[in-house]
Amino acid sequence: MKLSKSSSVSSVVSNVDKHSTNTNLTTLFNKYVDKNNVFSWNSVIADLARGGDSVEALRAFSSMRKLSLTPTRSTFPCAIKSCSALHDLHSGKQAHQQAFIFGFHRDVFVSSALIDMYSKCGELSDARKLFDEIPQRIRNIVSWTSMLTGYVQNDNAREALLLFKEFLLEESECGGASENSDNVFVDSVAIASVLSACSRVTVNGVTEGAHGFVIKRGFDSEVGVGNTLIDAYARGGHVDVSRKVFDGMIEKDAVTWNSIIAIYAQNGLAAEALDVFDQMVKSTDVKCNAVTLSAVLLAIAHLGVLRLGKCIHDQVIKMDLEESVIVGTSIIDMYCKCGQVDLARKAFNQMKEKNVRSWTAMIAGYGMHCRAREALDLFYKMIKAGVRPNYITFVSVLSACSHAGLVQEGWHWLNTMGREFNIEPGVEHYGCMVDLLGRAGKLKEAYDLIEGMKVKPDFVVWGSLLGACRIHKNVDLGEIAAKKLFELEPNNCGYHVLLSNIYANAGRWEDVERTRTLMKNRRLAKTPGFSLVELRGKVHAFLVGDKEHPQHEKIYEYLEELNVKLQEVGYVTDMTSVIHDVDQEEKEMTLRIHSEKLAVAFAIMNSVPGSTIRIIKNLRVCGDCHTVIRLISKVVDREIVVRDSKRFHYFKDGLCSCGDYW
DNA sequence: GTAGGGTTAG
């Protein structure tokens, strides 16, 4: 695994963008002077709205109205825009009413702002009504774009594209003849919106087609268009094409850099994300901002490299971005995923402004650290604080219950979320609940829950059941779950392995053999497991049965020594995690060389006695490794923290924080 | 004199 040089990351210092200090009415009035002049008010409202200070903009609008000044047509668009930004339908409707009273509701600027406001507040049919009421002779590209974006933002990309088709027809028919012919041609903003729609329809090749249109119309050198193309290709799973677009852009702004960094981070390509960040820091014509650091923190969270995370946290403080909700939430997430849930809580407590995502990140953090009680306590606090939980919050709550085996609590929230919070359980919530029931041994209940689901069960749901069937040795339900999984993900061999383990457990060797042959014939390969361990600032990566690491021979020798000690405390190799295909001795070898064991051994050999060992694994830790690491923690008297793909395990004195329940 | 639509985030 290639990692970016951390030294250059810490040199970010010199190239930073202090976030703009909040403008306020007093400073603005000093700038525009005349309080009794409508135009002065218009400028103030516009400045505030443009600067993103929507609350102040609306306050200014209302102050102006209290002075009984008569608004002009230019007063409304910015006031309405501020309502859109705040998703404040109530104020939006009031502004609409006032625009009507003063006779500006037919103004095309006002109409476009209103269309945008209604769609951002989720009132798409009201937006469409206003759009249809605009006479064709004054309807321009902004009106079209507002409506188009409305569809995209309300998850109706197909309708957006149909509308664009209609637009193109009008553009070709009356583009030259209309009285506002200058405004009826497609522009770069409209194109960006269309590209965004393309990336959200599930049909292949739409983005590629639109890209062709972009080039034909000569918009390919526009930064905004390029930025949207980068995003569109990534949404379609073509991260490599995103990178090509990025590399081909002559002009790049902060959004361009942030987009590619975020894409890498979201797709698990953390090293690439950090590499691009490094280049961004070195480039002189663009400065990183809150969004940049948020994306970088996501990459670091993925890697679990605490030292780098702390480095970026320092950077956040230097850049005076501590009060940014976006950055604050990313810091919480980073600390949780780097195993420092208490540092995360400290950062959480220090946040002045918290939104639903900040609370959710902290709840999820407690969940993955098996601190379900704290997760639920925080959830109650959140509700008490008047913050409305969202879909993801409930996923985090149920997942916390699942990690801790809280069946009652799980049932309670699954049943209550729809009734009390108007959020219908989705496939992720059922996934957690099936996992929870399954691992608690309530397999029949889990299966019945799946059968009664209102949404189509996905691979997570069936995968949870299959996993539970392995733990509780249920062949019948295991076969049902596996059959569904083979249909849903025919190329994932993990399910074949699991089913095979279930057969092995039941002594059904013929079925084991059959599964194995099937895998061989379909050439299904197992995702290779790897583990990371950070030692004195350097990250060491280990693969299954690694023979690449310079110390590998010593590591294997040490593992042999450890094995003897483990057997003295009663350890017997658990064979069920391995396909029954080799003789006993060979099987033991296969097990022993799982990457997490190598990483643990390496870390014990090379670190200060008594220090905590931190490992990150890309897959779930297997049963045997779990037992071994648990016992190692006792034998060598070390605390060992393992982050697997699902959660954290804290091993100490021969016990694990998960209570062997995971 | 002043005005409306897009792309990056947890």
Side-chain angles (χ1 to χ4, degrees):
Chain A
M1 171 155 293
K2 206 183 92 194
L3 286 174
S4 169
K5 274 176 252 102
S6 53
S7 58
S8 42
V9 176
S10 55
S11 70
V12 185
V13 198
S14 54
N15 187 19
V16 293
D17 182 18
K18 285 252 173 189
H19 74 135
S20 60
T21 46
N22 275 342
T23 36
N24 59 44
L25 280 178
T26 336
T27 52
L28 277 164
F29 268 120
N30 289 338
K31 192 174 159 196
Y32 294 100
V33 193
D34 193 353
K35 279 180 198 166
N36 294 313
N37 184 329
V38 186
F39 297 125
S40 291
W41 279 103
N42 288 353
S43 302
V44 168
I45 298 169
D47 266 25
L48 288 166
R50 263 198 300 264
D53 204 341
S54 312
V55 178
E56 280 297 316
L58 281 184
R59 213 170 272 164
F61 177 60
S62 123
S63 305
M64 173 200 171
R65 294 292 306 121
K66 279 181 192 144
L67 289 170
S68 302
L69 287 170
T70 313
T72 69
R73 55 183 356 194
S74 312
T75 315
F76 289 102
C78 281
I80 296 166
K81 180 194 169 125
S82 303
C83 302
S84 316
L86 296 169
H87 294 249
D88 183 349
L89 182 62
H90 181 72
S91 304
K93 279 185 173 171
Q94 273 184 343
H96 188 179
Q97 212 169 14
Q98 299 217 1
F100 181 82
I101 293 166
F102 290 97
F104 297 128
H105 61 294
R106 296 266 181 240
D107 181 275
V108 72
F109 276 74
V110 176
S111 302
S112 302
L114 283 171
I115 291 169
D116 184 56
M117 185 276 291
Y118 279 115
S119 28
K120 288 219 166 76
C121 293
E123 305 291 324
L124 202 56
S125 55
D126 284 339
R128 181 65 203 229
K129 220 173 119 200
L130 282 170
F131 176 78
D132 288 332
E133 281 168 4
I134 305 175
Q136 205 188 4
R137 62 185 168 79
I138 66 161
R139 195 153 62 189
N140 62 25
I141 187 63
V142 181
S143 340
W144 282 95
T145 312
S146 303
M147 194 61 238
L148 212 147
T149 306
Y151 281 121
V152 178
Q153 288 171 350
N154 284 280
D155 297 320
N156 199 341
R158 219 184 84 89
E159 198 61 45
L161 290 183
L162 290 174
L163 192 76
F164 184 61
K165 239 181 167 176
E166 248 181 82
F167 165 80
L168 285 179
L169 221 75
E170 192 168 303
E171 187 199 40
S172 65
E173 275 173 9
C174 61
S178 165
E179 63 181 74
N180 63 335
S181 56
D182 285 349
N183 295 330
V184 88
F185 287 111
V186 70
D187 66 3
S188 62
V189 179
I191 288 280
S193 191
V194 170
L195 281 169
S196 173
C198 292
S199 67
R200 285 168 170 84
V201 293
T202 46
V203 189
N204 284 337
V206 181
T207 299
E208 286 82 351
H211 192 171
F213 178 83
V214 165
I215 294 168
K216 206 171 89 188
R217 291 293 192 102
F219 288 110
D220 49 327
S221 54
E222 295 269 350
V223 193
V225 174
N227 292 347
T228 326
L229 267 174
I230 290 176
D231 180 62
Y233 277 115
R235 277 179 197 275
H238 303 288
V239 174
D240 49 332
V241 186
S242 294
R243 180 58 191 254
K244 274 191 186 134
V245 175
F246 172 84
D247 287 336
M249 283 170 73
I250 298 155
E251 195 191 339
K252 294 184 180 84
D253 63 9
V255 176
T256 319
W257 289 91
N258 292 350
S259 300
I260 197 79
I261 294 172
I263 287 165
Y264 279 140
Q266 286 160 2
N267 286 280
L269 299 163
E272 284 81 352
L274 293 179
D275 195 46
V276 178
F277 174 58
D278 209 34
Q279 291 173 39
M280 181 182 183
V281 168
K282 282 177 187 152
S283 88
T284 45
D285 42 35
V286 67
K287 285 174 179 168
C288 56
N289 58 26
V291 179
T292 321
L293 293 191
S294 172
V296 170
L297 283 165
L298 180 67
I300 292 170
H302 200 92
L303 287 175
V305 189
L306 180 65
R307 212 177 64 92
L308 256 185
K310 281 190 166 161
C311 187
I312 297 295
H313 192 177
D314 286 343
Q315 194 52 48
V316 168
I317 296 165
K318 278 183 194 134
M319 283 171 74
D320 206 12
L321 287 172
E322 280 172 292
E323 287 184 22
S324 155
V325 197
I326 299 170
V327 175
T329 308
S330 303
I331 286 177
I332 293 173
D333 183 59
M334 179 276 293
Y335 276 133
C336 289
K337 291 192 177 138
C338 289
Q340 302 290 336
V341 76
D342 295 320
L343 282 180
R345 182 58 192 257
K346 204 175 148 203
F348 176 82
N349 289 343
Q350 280 171 355
M351 281 175 83
K352 285 189 180 150
E353 186 196 340
K354 299 182 187 81
N355 62 20
V356 58
R357 290 178 183 216
S358 328
W359 288 89
T360 303
M362 196 63 237
I363 293 170
Y366 279 129
M368 70 179 89
H369 288 269
C370 204
R371 287 159 69 165
R373 217 45 281 164
E374 280 150 294
L376 290 169
D377 282 349
L378 197 65
F379 178 57
Y380 296 132
K381 267 194 186 152
M382 170 186 175
I383 295 170
K384 226 176 173 182
V387 181
R388 225 180 89 83
N390 65 19
Y391 190 92
I392 310 288
T393 315
F394 280 107
V395 175
S396 306
V397 167
L398 287 168
S399 154
C401 293
S402 137
H403 288 316
L406 304 177
V407 177
Q408 291 293 331
E409 297 270 9
W411 269 129
H412 172 75
W413 288 114
L414 187 75
N415 291 329
T416 328
M417 56 185 284
R419 205 168 51 232
E420 278 184 27
F421 296 92
N422 206 20
I423 298 164
E424 285 310 315
V427 73
E428 292 94 338
H429 304 109
Y430 286 108
C432 291
M433 197 65 212
V434 168
D435 190 54
L436 176 51
L437 290 169
R439 282 192 282 125
K442 300 174 186 297
L443 294 175
K444 179 74 171 62
E445 257 181 84
Y447 183 62
D448 289 344
L449 181 67
I450 298 177
E451 289 291 285
M453 275 171 64
K454 282 176 196 155
V455 284
K456 190 175 182 274
D458 68 350
F459 67 96
V460 179
V461 175
W462 287 115
S464 299
L465 184 67
L466 183 64
C469 289
R470 185 187 63 81
I471 299 170
H472 298 287
K473 310 184 197 312
N474 187 320
V475 180
D476 294 343
L477 282 178
E479 282 180 328
I480 295 175
K483 195 167 163 253
K484 297 281 184 186
L485 287 163
F486 298 157
E487 285 166 18
L488 288 166
E489 291 199 315
N491 294 321
N492 189 328
C493 84
Y495 307 132
H496 292 274
V497 175
L498 266 174
L499 181 64
S500 161
N501 289 341
I502 293 173
Y503 285 137
N505 237 320
R508 285 167 58 166
W509 305 114
E510 275 174 27
D511 290 314
V512 172
E513 191 52 36
R514 187 170 48 82
T515 314
R516 225 186 119 242
T517 316
L518 202 116
M519 282 173 67
K520 227 178 189 173
N521 291 344
R522 292 210 195 139
R523 302 225 167 102
L524 295 176
K526 224 180 150 176
T527 314
F530 67 81
S531 296
L532 305 176
V533 57
E534 191 189 351
L535 215 75
R536 286 184 281 277
K538 204 173 166 235
V539 176
H540 298 260
F542 294 90
L543 283 166
V544 194
D546 204 314
K547 295 257 162 73
E548 301 292 314
H549 195 277
Q551 289 189 35
H552 76 265
E553 282 177 2
K554 277 187 181 166
I555 295 171
Y556 287 114
E557 273 172 33
Y558 184 57
L559 272 172
E560 277 300 323
E561 276 175 43
L562 274 177
N563 204 37
V564 176
K565 286 187 188 164
L566 294 184
Q567 277 164 4
E568 281 168 13
V569 289
Y571 165 67
V572 186
T573 310
D574 173 9
M575 284 293 101
T576 54
S577 297
V578 172
I579 296 179
H580 183 85
D581 59 350
V582 273
D583 63 46
Q584 192 71 11
E585 201 179 1
E586 207 179 321
K587 263 193 301 183
E588 276 188 45
M589 276 311 291
T590 320
L591 266 180
R592 226 173 284 155
I593 53 178
H594 272 176
S595 63
E596 52 268 53
K597 283 183 193 159
L598 296 173
V600 167
F602 169 77
I604 297 172
M605 291 163 66
N606 290 282
S607 60
V608 185
S611 61
T612 303
I613 291 164
R614 296 176 188 282
I615 310 285
I616 290 173
K617 174 149 198 226
N618 66 329
L619 309 172
R620 258 198 202 198
V621 58
C622 88
D624 183 65
C625 285
H626 192 270
T627 312
V628 166
I629 298 172
R630 193 158 54 70
L631 295 173
I632 288 178
S633 77
K634 189 183 171 77
V635 169
V636 302
D637 193 22
R638 286 288 197 103
E639 280 184 50
I640 304 169
V641 184
V642 177
R643 184 187 91 177
D644 72 8
S645 63
K646 296 276 173 188
R647 56 170 298 155
F648 279 85
H649 300 267
Y650 290 84
F651 299 96
K652 196 187 172 185
D653 292 333
L655 297 171
C656 179
S657 60
C658 73
D660 296 339
Y661 184 97
W662 84 96

